[in-house]
Amino acid sequence: MASPTLISDTEPWKELKAHMEEIRKTHLRNLMSDSVRCQSMMVEFDGMLLDYSRQNATLDTLDKLYKLAEAAHLKEKINRMYNGEHINSTENRSVLHVALRAPRDAVINSDGKNVIPEIWKVLDKIQEFSERIRSGAWIGATGKALTDVVAVGIGGSFLGPLFVHTALQTDPEAVECARGRQLRFLANVDPIDVARSITGLNPETTLVVVVSKTFTTAETMLNARTLREWISSALGPSAVAKHMVAVSTNLVLVEKFGIDPNNAFAFWDWVGGRYSVCSAVGVLPLSLQYGFSVVEKFLKGASSIDQHFYTAPFEKNIPVLLGLLSVWNVSFFGYPARAILPYSQALEKFAPHIQQVSMESNGKGVSIDGVPLPFEAGEIDFGEPGTNGQHSFYQLIHQGRVIPCDFIGIVKSQQPVYLKGEVVSNHDELMSNFFAQPDALAYGKTPEQLQKENVSPHLIPHKTFSGNRPSLSLLLPSLNAYNIGQLLAIYEHRIAVEGFIWGINSFDQWGVELGKSLATQVRKQLHGSRTKGEPIEGFNFSTKTLLTRYLEASSDIPVDPSTLLPRI
């Protein structure tokens, strides 16, 4: 199965290329008039509804995409992932984020060993620890309960947990469980982020969770040392053991840092950072804020999609359908971007998280065998909650570039508002836009329609909407912890499907390394120039000029400064 043949060399790919030229001639206005086609392009699962009828596709297109999936050995690749095989070949690792939310009695092997008991051992430890913190059984150095948590991490150690936290903040059950508590995230090494993260917090009531697999990530560890100093300067160095815990696999460095290794929570090499929200990376801070029972519902929601993805036939399989349609839009139509448009403010951090999962996973230029790709892979992901996005970038989506859109709607609002005398409720007003925008993109508005409306001839070109712009709609019954888990898993698996079809490795991220290594050289230069007056050497003219300007303009920084913490 591990043939070096590129997917673009296969017959199904070539057939889709030819077929795409036919589809280009067909407007969505015509496709949408076929009710049999539209009905066939709707899938229901566990209370949610996917409608992909507004894609530039026919039932014949779908058949050809299924043949492409067969040529790419999609089912075998999914099975290999679930079986714990080392599908991340460049790092020689399994890819088992599905195991993180599997039930306690499941059996999922990696290197011949069932990983589920290990996972539940950590989950049980998180539950016990978070209950001690939340109940006040664990207290800080001065005897006060720890009601505030700052989670320190970056990338996958931050974006996923932040998305889930933001989505839960207004869920009624989660609100009740979080009463009197607050959770903040510190990611950026910019001292402004430090200042914002600790503003208004009291070290006496704050617990810091340092999230770093190796305990060596430069930005995370500098931020961790900064918060350690914040706690130590207020409460004394011995307070660190009571006010800081770790999510890491490097117990030696955890202990060296001053954190009791017993208060370190493990995760594993087969958990990629951007896929780690269901590990201790996300489960620990979220359990401290909302209680383990709420987070367990989130894990069960993700697990429900894991089972659906593993067992459902492709024509009823939501992640598979979404992945195939993305490949169709990116590699055949040449649309480079995708807009993620949740009509729920609770999902405001969903697009930023998916940006990382998608663009770090599939932003690749070579196949898994190292062969340069003769086609484009990966998508540029962006988005904002509706209706905010409508008043921002929808102009481009309607009348500029063609950007396939994901519309995500929620049937029941987390926080319904009704005003006497209004035509509709606030949520109905929001959802009116959710239903209208996909049709506006699909149908557009013709010059003939504008003429009948007596629009001035010189304005007709400006008010014409070409339409024929693809979108899909995903309607969820509600937005509780369970549904949030489902939404996360749908997108994780969709992205894996795309990578499996393109024949790339969606589970490494070598692209983040080069900039980091170059930053090490700059760091060394800055230190040498500031402390010893060393000349700037080893950089190109442009970088040398910028560094010179920076050093000259910041020459008032003392050579050996005493500790200075944010003043907010």
Side-chain angles (χ1 to χ4, degrees):
M1 194 189 83
S3 164
T5 304
L6 293 168
I7 189 65
S8 53
D9 294 333
T10 65
E11 279 307 308
W13 186 280
K14 292 170 186 173
E15 285 178 24
L16 279 162
K17 274 284 183 193
H19 175 70
M20 185 266 296
E21 296 305 326
E22 297 170 35
I23 293 290
R24 273 197 193 281
K25 302 168 190 170
T26 310
H27 200 286
L28 273 169
R29 289 184 205 116
N30 304 107
L31 292 175
M32 292 299 292
S33 66
D34 182 346
S35 57
V36 174
R37 169 192 168 277
C38 291
Q39 187 176 12
S40 299
M41 293 185 170
M42 294 187 181
V43 176
E44 288 190 66
F45 173 72
D46 201 9
M48 69 177 70
L49 173 64
L50 169 66
D51 175 5
Y52 61 96
S53 60
R54 292 176 191 80
Q55 291 284 312
N56 296 116
T58 62
L59 298 181
D60 188 29
T61 311
L62 269 295
D63 287 337
K64 291 180 189 304
L65 285 169
Y66 298 142
K67 285 176 184 166
L68 184 70
E70 196 175 322
H73 306 285
L74 177 60
K75 184 57 184 167
E76 292 97 310
K77 288 175 180 178
I78 294 169
N79 289 344
R80 289 181 67 209
M81 182 172 82
Y82 277 70
N83 291 337
E85 293 185 38
H86 287 211
I87 63 169
N88 178 355
S89 55
T90 63
E91 296 179 306
N92 194 27
R93 290 174 182 169
S94 304
V95 175
L96 280 178
H97 44 279
V98 295
L100 297 170
R101 54 255 188 158
R104 199 184 285 268
D105 58 356
V107 177
I108 298 178
N109 291 314
S110 178
D111 298 321
K113 181 185 174 188
N114 182 13
V115 299
I116 300 300
E118 231 177 302
I119 290 165
W120 274 94
K121 185 179 175 183
V122 174
L123 290 174
D124 289 339
K125 183 178 176 180
I126 290 171
Q127 180 175 15
E128 188 267 340
F129 178 75
S130 59
E131 284 176 0
R132 286 177 71 198
I133 294 284
R134 289 169 56 83
S135 69
W138 176 299
I139 53 175
T142 61
K144 292 184 178 178
L146 301 178
T147 54
D148 309 313
V149 173
V150 180
V152 183
I154 198 164
S157 300
F158 151 68
L159 288 162
L162 177 64
F163 142 60
V164 179
H165 170 52
T166 309
L168 284 171
Q169 270 182 316
T170 39
D171 169 63
E173 181 189 10
V175 167
E176 198 55 44
C177 293
R179 203 168 294 284
R181 307 194 61 81
Q182 58 179 318
L183 170 62
R184 298 184 187 181
F185 292 88
L186 170 57
N188 200 331
V189 75
D190 186 338
I192 290 169
D193 203 14
V194 176
R196 290 178 173 176
S197 296
I198 61 175
T199 297
L201 294 187
N202 179 354
E204 292 181 278
T205 59
T206 302
L207 178 73
V208 176
V209 179
V210 184
V211 183
S212 175
K213 183 183 284 191
T214 61
F215 236 61
T216 59
T217 309
E219 302 96 325
T220 297
M221 296 319 298
L222 180 52
N223 278 335
R225 291 192 295 274
T226 304
L227 291 198
R228 180 179 64 186
E229 184 61 35
W230 177 66
I231 289 166
S232 297
S233 61
L235 309 175
S238 62
V240 169
K242 280 284 188 182
H243 290 262
M244 297 188 84
V245 298
V247 177
S248 180
T249 55
N250 193 335
L251 296 184
V252 173
L253 288 187
V254 166
E255 186 168 22
K256 193 175 176 184
F257 184 89
I259 294 174
D260 185 341
N262 291 320
N263 299 329
F265 298 82
F267 60 118
W268 304 271
D269 273 348
W270 41 257
V271 183
R274 57 193 174 276
Y275 297 96
S276 67
V277 64
C278 294
S279 73
V281 168
V283 173
L284 177 59
L286 292 166
S287 294
L288 288 165
Q289 178 69 3
Y290 298 108
F292 186 79
S293 62
V294 169
V295 181
E296 193 170 15
K297 290 174 186 173
F298 161 72
L299 297 176
K300 285 179 178 173
S303 182
S304 79
I305 295 296
D306 293 342
Q307 290 306 306
H308 167 72
F309 178 51
Y310 189 54
T311 60
F314 286 173
E315 62 272 15
K316 295 290 182 187
N317 193 312
I318 290 174
V320 168
L321 288 165
L322 295 181
L324 290 173
L325 290 166
S326 282
V327 170
W328 175 234
N329 284 323
V330 171
S331 298
F332 295 91
F333 279 94
Y335 301 142
R338 168 177 62 189
I340 299 170
L341 309 170
Y343 277 67
S344 170
Q345 192 64 31
L347 294 175
E348 66 177 305
K349 295 299 181 183
F350 183 59
H353 175 51
I354 298 307
Q355 267 182 344
Q356 190 208 9
V357 182
S358 170
M359 294 168 75
E360 197 168 81
S361 293
N362 290 342
K364 308 292 168 61
V366 298
S367 76
I368 198 163
D369 300 307
V371 180
L373 299 177
F375 55 86
E376 297 289 348
E379 287 157 306
I380 300 162
D381 286 280
F382 70 98
E384 280 288 327
T387 55
N388 297 6
Q390 292 175 199
H391 293 269
S392 173
F393 50 77
Y394 276 38
Q395 168 64 47
L396 183 144
I397 289 173
H398 279 288
Q399 290 185 305
R401 292 173 179 267
V402 177
I403 297 177
C405 297
D406 293 359
F407 289 94
I408 302 168
I410 314 296
V411 174
K412 292 184 178 178
S413 174
Q414 290 179 333
Q415 297 290 331
V417 171
Y418 308 98
L419 296 181
K420 187 175 174 63
E422 292 288 341
V423 177
V424 291
S425 70
N426 294 41
H427 188 64
D428 278 353
E429 178 66 32
L430 174 73
M431 291 301 287
S432 296
N433 289 275
F434 167 82
F435 294 113
Q437 289 290 341
D439 278 342
L441 288 165
Y443 289 87
K445 198 160 192 179
T446 66
E448 293 75 23
Q449 289 173 304
L450 293 164
Q451 284 167 359
K452 286 179 184 175
E453 294 175 5
N454 296 318
V455 172
S456 298
H458 76 283
L459 286 178
I460 284 177
H462 300 282
K463 292 195 170 187
T464 296
F465 291 73
S466 64
N468 204 34
R469 291 161 185 260
S471 69
L472 56 87
S473 300
L474 185 63
L475 189 61
L476 304 178
S478 58
L479 195 63
N480 53 30
Y482 183 83
N483 304 131
I484 293 164
Q486 289 183 307
L487 188 59
L488 173 77
I490 286 170
Y491 274 77
E492 286 180 343
H493 295 319
R494 173 200 199 156
I495 289 156
V497 167
E498 292 172 63
F500 288 152
I501 299 292
W502 283 320
I504 60 179
N505 185 355
S506 298
F507 306 106
D508 63 8
Q509 60 283 328
W510 298 105
V512 306
E513 299 300 323
L514 179 58
K516 289 199 295 189
S517 65
L518 292 176
T520 301
Q521 292 175 237
V522 178
R523 188 185 304 120
K524 186 178 177 183
Q525 179 69 64
L526 288 172
H527 176 74
S529 296
R530 288 210 192 277
T531 58
K532 302 172 193 168
E534 290 177 0
I536 298 170
E537 293 177 337
F539 298 93
N540 60 49
F541 177 81
S542 173
T543 305
K544 183 176 180 178
T545 303
L546 290 166
L547 277 170
T548 302
R549 174 65 63 87
Y550 177 69
L551 284 164
E552 287 173 352
S554 60
S555 59
D556 57 333
I557 293 176
V559 172
D560 187 18
S562 54
T563 296
L564 175 68
L565 293 170
R567 290 167 294 185
I568 294 179

